[in-house]
Amino acid sequence: MKFGSKHVLAALAALAVAGLAVAAGPDAGATEKQATNWTAIAMFGAFVAFTLGITKWAAAKTKSAADFYTAGGGITGFQNGLAIAGDYMSAASFLGISGLVFANGFDGLIFSIGWLVGWPVITFLMAERLRNLGKFTFADVAAYRFGQTPIRSFAATGSLVVVAFYMIAQMVGAGQLIKILFGLEYTYAVVLVGVLMMMYVLFGGMTATTWVQIIKAVMLLSGATFMALAVLYQFGFSPEALFAKAVEVKTGLAAKDPKLVADAAAKGVDVATLAAAKGGSIMAPGGLIKDPVSAISVGMALMFGTAGLPHILMRFFTVPSAKEARKSVAWATTWIGYFYILTFIIGFGAIVLVATNPEFLDPVKGGLKGGGNMAAIHLANAVGGNVFLGFISAVAFATILAVVAGLTLSGASAVSHDLYATVFKKGQATSEDELRVSKMTTIALGILAVVLGIAFEKENVAYMVMLAFAIACSANFPVLFMSVLWKGCTTRGATIGGFVGLIAAVGLTVISDAVWVKVLGNKEAIFPYSSPAIFSMPLAFLTIYVVSLIDGSRRAEEDKAGYVMQEVRSETGVGAAGASGH
């Protein structure tokens, strides 16, 4: 069966019709719908038109599986660095971190620092070896000297679970965000993201996805830079003056808080003293994560999870050499580090310019209109008016679109390359067959993402991104690390250890406060910490180590004997897959 563009368009049309049918139902989401913002819609329309033009150009270049998965290995280090940054700077980073800084001050930085310091791990331990050992997916690297079926089955499972959780969070975020920004119904927004994402991935593959991410990264960095400079301009470019004003604002707000006033009266303390302590707390740690075990665990998940995210690892196969892989990490780290500095300034800017402006506050519920994550969006309006608000809104939507496209591509490659071509067809599948299965998987993942996005509309999905990182650091990262760097690692050890980490991360998250109390409605969490990583990640490493040590099978001997050849190729690149010619 030929899987041509007619089939693809028919499937997309069917999805759009199904989505519109669902959208006809009542909408009672967690955020209130705003008036339609035509400026934002026009800017987003221009972005979509431009990127669909790029997709048409990319489709002409996408002839083989290598082109579809890795753009034929023809992306430069600088371009790939920007694309990685685009993949990484999600709406959770942009809106979430600035929202956390707005609410908690200094402590909001734990997420941005955790995400940023994961990059040296990738630079020094992973980037070069990934490029030299892999072809399309991280399973190529993990399974280089092992039995293919068990390791690839695990890697595909780990990838798909991470992709699913990450994707649900992005889709729900997209729906809620667009309901606020554009005034569109939640379901229309989710269907729109699903259809556009499938068009990018199906027709343009990795080439189109890469360019969507590059354009989005440039737009996001430009917009965030303007916001940060506009905030600093009002304080003579003195961060110290900005922080002092933020403390003053928080102190003033605390002094009007009825709860704090009652607390002061009960303790017989002056209100001004308590308010000053509350205001000053935004410049100190401990406001967001209270206990040290949770702080370390969250840090571990963010730091090592980065080195286990399938859609990030996949980007290292798009460059022509290990040198370009290193260069792309250096550029990505530069852009991401710069971006997180900007989100810190944006968060404090929002305290000063948004928290004191009645235009952006909800008179009924208190707090910001649309919730705490809207701090950056309201700040855009405060410093640049409606046109800049439209631009930032369009960038936020484009951000979700680019991340979802990258996730879908990594999920499709896990199914078609790891499961179909290697496990089911034992390496005998043709490039055309693999490409066909990839496109079918993309449609299936797109429909699944839309359905789950609609199903989880009213759920608290904040834990899902955290869970994706916890699984990535507890399952994918230990297997990748041990298979590449420890001679004694065996197929059985890596597979069992990986599944133990995966099950532990999911199990502990389910019985933690984020799911057990906030989603399932129980009174008290069984697992008291914010993230399972501090327990599940060492458990995975220990299981891999112990099972590999006691594994006396013939396969284990072959695994250990293959290490020398793997090491030579990982360090030198001799025999590595080169860029495909165009």
Side-chain angles (χ1 to χ4, degrees), residues 8-28:
V8 175
L9 287 168
L12 290 173
L15 176 66
V17 171
L20 295 177
V22 177
D27 175 67

Side-chain angles (χ1 to χ4, degrees), residues 145 487-490 548 551 556-564:
R145 62 189 167 105
K487 181 182 180 179
C489 190
T490 68
S548 295
D551 185 1
E557 289 171 22
E558 289 175 33
D559 296 339
K560 290 168 188 173
Y563 181 76
V564 175

Side-chain angles (χ1 to χ4, degrees), residues 505-557:
V506 174
L508 290 174
T509 303
V510 168
I511 60 171
S512 73
D513 180 72
V515 181
W516 197 250
V517 177
K518 289 178 181 165
V519 176
L520 300 177
N522 293 297
K523 283 189 177 173
E524 199 173 334
I526 300 168
F527 179 70
Y529 305 112
S530 304
S531 165
I534 197 169
F535 302 103
S536 54
M537 184 174 142
L539 183 63
F541 273 109
L542 184 65
T543 307
I544 294 171
Y545 180 73
V546 171
V547 174
S548 295
L549 277 187
I550 60 175
D551 185 1
S553 64
R554 184 182 295 175
R555 177 71 246 184
E557 289 171 22

Side-chain angles (χ1 to χ4, degrees), residues 400-567:
I400 291 170
L401 205 51
V403 173
V404 169
L407 286 167
T408 306
L409 198 51
S410 64
S413 66
V415 172
S416 58
H417 182 62
D418 295 335
L419 293 180
Y420 172 75
T422 314
V423 175
F424 301 139
K425 289 285 188 177
K426 306 295 180 196
Q428 301 302 307
T430 64
S431 178
E432 289 76 20
D433 285 343
E434 209 174 309
L435 198 53
R436 189 180 75 248
V437 172
S438 236
K439 293 191 171 183
M440 289 163 71
T441 309
T442 299
I443 288 180
L445 281 172
I447 292 171
L448 185 68
V450 169
V451 170
L452 290 175
I454 293 167
F456 278 84
E457 179 189 354
K458 296 174 189 69
E459 298 296 328
N460 174 358
V461 294
Y463 69 91
M464 285 194 177
V465 173
M466 197 66 235
L467 180 57
F469 273 87
I471 293 167
C473 86
S474 306
N476 299 354
F477 175 66
V479 170
L480 201 54
F481 184 91
M482 295 293 263
S483 65
V484 171
L485 295 170
W486 182 41
K487 181 182 180 179
C489 190
T490 68
T491 302
R492 190 176 295 166
T495 308
I496 294 172
F499 275 117
V500 164
L502 178 66
I503 293 162
V506 174
L508 290 174
T509 303
V510 168
I511 60 171
S512 73
D513 180 72
V515 181
W516 197 250
V517 177
K518 289 178 181 165
V519 176
L520 300 177
N522 293 297
K523 283 189 177 173
E524 199 173 334
I526 300 168
F527 179 70
Y529 305 112
S530 304
S531 165
I534 197 169
F535 302 103
S536 54
M537 184 174 142
L539 183 63
F541 273 109
L542 184 65
T543 307
I544 294 171
Y545 180 73
V546 171
V547 174
S548 295
L549 277 187
I550 60 175
D551 185 1
S553 64
R554 184 182 295 175
R555 177 71 246 184
E557 289 171 22
E558 289 175 33
D559 296 339
K560 290 168 188 173
Y563 181 76
V564 175
M565 285 298 291
Q566 175 186 288
E567 189 175 34

Side-chain angles (χ1 to χ4, degrees), residues 299-354:
M300 282 173 68
L302 299 172
M303 183 173 168
F304 296 109
T306 304
L309 291 175
H311 63 296
I312 297 291
L313 296 174
M314 193 179 182
R315 294 227 56 91
F316 292 103
F317 309 123
T318 64
V319 290
S321 65
K323 181 186 174 188
E324 291 297 316
R326 283 197 307 274
K327 200 186 285 184
S328 59
V329 181
W331 276 114
T333 310
T334 304
W335 297 123
I336 292 164
Y338 170 65
F339 173 71
Y340 284 146
I341 291 169
L342 297 180
T343 56
F344 194 56
I345 296 167
I346 289 167
F348 272 95
I351 292 174
V352 174
L353 301 173
V354 173

